[in-house]
Amino acid sequence: EIDSTNSKAYELAMEGAEEGEVVVAESQTRGRGRLGRQWFSPPYVNLYLSIILRPQIPPHQASMMTLMAAVATAEAIQSSSGLRPTIKWPNDLLLSGRKVAGLLNELHSEADQIHFIILGIGVNLNTEVRMFPKEIRGKATSLRIEKGEGVSRKEFFQTLLKTLENWYSIFFREGAPAILNAWRGWANLQGRLVRITSFGDTLIGKAIDIDSDGALILETMDGKQRRILAGDVEYSGE
Ligand code: BTN
């Protein structure tokens, strides 16, 4: 048990831990989600891990690591369950419209150099509906719920590390376009009507695409395009 694998990995990275070091926990007492939220992290059923990366890339490309990790997680989910998840911007993984995995990536950098990135990934593998707190029961799911049978945590962990390693090397070999194209394939975002909550504002419009910074390009009702850097998306009419 640990407070948060991301906090531990950050601490280790500050002390000089090498790229590729992984922190994995049986449970978290303060599992952290995006935008200051908590991540439900009960023992024995799921996977909570954080990986230390030290990519030699400019800080403005750091968001490619998040997109890369979302693609790798989607692929691991599909190959270990046969179910096809969708990625919901910025980096939620959904099955049947409910969240099955989330990513929290944290960056430590100076203006022109990345010191390290912590890739934090939580995947609901074997949670049962009754285990979820009431507030998230309608919004969360697990591979077990969707598939009707349990998933080996050890095998899923191995698969995920392999897909991550593969997509990380694809990024260095082929560059950002390969990651963006794969992300687009899982997200199926272009042209959809969305409602976005971002820093207290609600915006409605048509999703055009994501750009190489991972920002969502939204066309609002007045025909203008806006770049959204953070927030939550809902698909209208679903
Ligand atoms: C989100 O969707 O809001 C992101 C959730 C990220 C959860 C994972 S679990 C492992 C790692 N450690 C944390 O404290 N958070 C991430």
Side-chain angles (χ1 to χ4, degrees):
E1 182 184 278
I2 200 164
D3 52 354
S4 153
T5 56
N6 262 39
S7 306
K8 182 68 189 173
Y10 202 99
E11 211 178 288
L12 291 170
M14 289 298 279
E15 289 162 9
E18 280 178 32
E19 162 153 292
E21 204 160 306
V22 177
V23 178
V24 60
E26 180 64 90
S27 68
Q28 300 182 113
T29 51
R30 283 168 195 266
R32 292 190 283 119
R34 278 193 319 119
L35 307 170
R37 297 182 186 130
Q38 293 176 354
W39 185 255
F40 176 59
S41 310
Y44 312 122
V45 281
N46 297 328
L47 187 61
Y48 318 107
L49 76 144
S50 301
I51 304 179
I52 298 169
L53 296 182
R54 296 185 181 275
Q56 305 281 306
I57 55 173
H60 73 86
Q61 281 205 325
S63 54
M64 292 311 303
M65 295 292 107
T66 305
L67 302 179
M68 178 282 291
V71 166
T73 307
E75 200 174 280
I77 289 174
Q78 184 172 42
S79 79
S80 59
S81 70
L83 303 169
R84 187 174 168 85
T86 51
I87 299 179
K88 191 173 82 153
W89 184 86
N91 43 38
D92 289 352
L93 287 123
L94 309 184
L95 282 174
S96 314
R98 294 175 182 201
K99 187 153 161 174
V100 68
L103 276 73
L104 179 69
N105 294 338
E106 296 180 287
L107 171 68
H108 184 67
S109 80
E110 55 190 86
D112 49 11
Q113 193 195 358
I114 291 180
H115 295 307
F116 59 82
I117 296 177
I118 306 298
L119 285 187
I121 308 176
V123 189
N124 297 333
L125 293 178
N126 294 308
T127 329
E128 294 183 48
V129 177
R130 61 179 165 76
M131 294 176 181
F132 284 118
K134 274 206 283 307
E135 316 80 74
I136 60 169
R137 208 168 283 165
K139 294 188 272 186
T141 193
S142 70
L143 288 191
R144 181 190 200 108
I145 294 168
E146 298 301 319
K147 212 182 153 200
E149 61 184 90
V151 172
S152 152
R153 293 190 299 161
K154 196 166 95 183
E155 279 167 28
F156 186 88
F157 185 33
Q158 289 169 340
T159 304
L160 179 59
L161 291 179
K162 281 188 197 138
T163 58
L164 278 166
E165 188 151 13
N166 183 36
W167 280 101
Y168 193 50
S169 61
I170 290 176
F171 171 76
F172 288 108
R173 232 177 24 239
E174 298 174 27
I179 305 297
L180 287 164
N181 283 337
W183 191 95
R184 289 184 183 110
W186 290 102
N188 189 21
L189 177 79
Q190 283 151 307
R192 289 180 86 163
L193 280 183
V194 293
R195 173 199 296 267
I196 300 182
T197 325
S198 175
F199 301 109
D201 278 346
T202 301
L203 293 163
I204 295 176
K206 190 164 79 179
I208 303 296
D209 202 357
I210 51 160
D211 65 16
S212 54
D213 294 330
L216 178 83
I217 313 297
L218 181 77
E219 187 179 288
T220 43
M221 298 305 177
D222 53 11
K224 288 193 183 129
Q225 291 202 356
R226 302 177 64 151
R227 286 180 78 235
I228 317 288
L229 289 164
D232 285 309
V233 165
E234 273 172 67
Y235 298 127
S236 296
E238 282 173 25

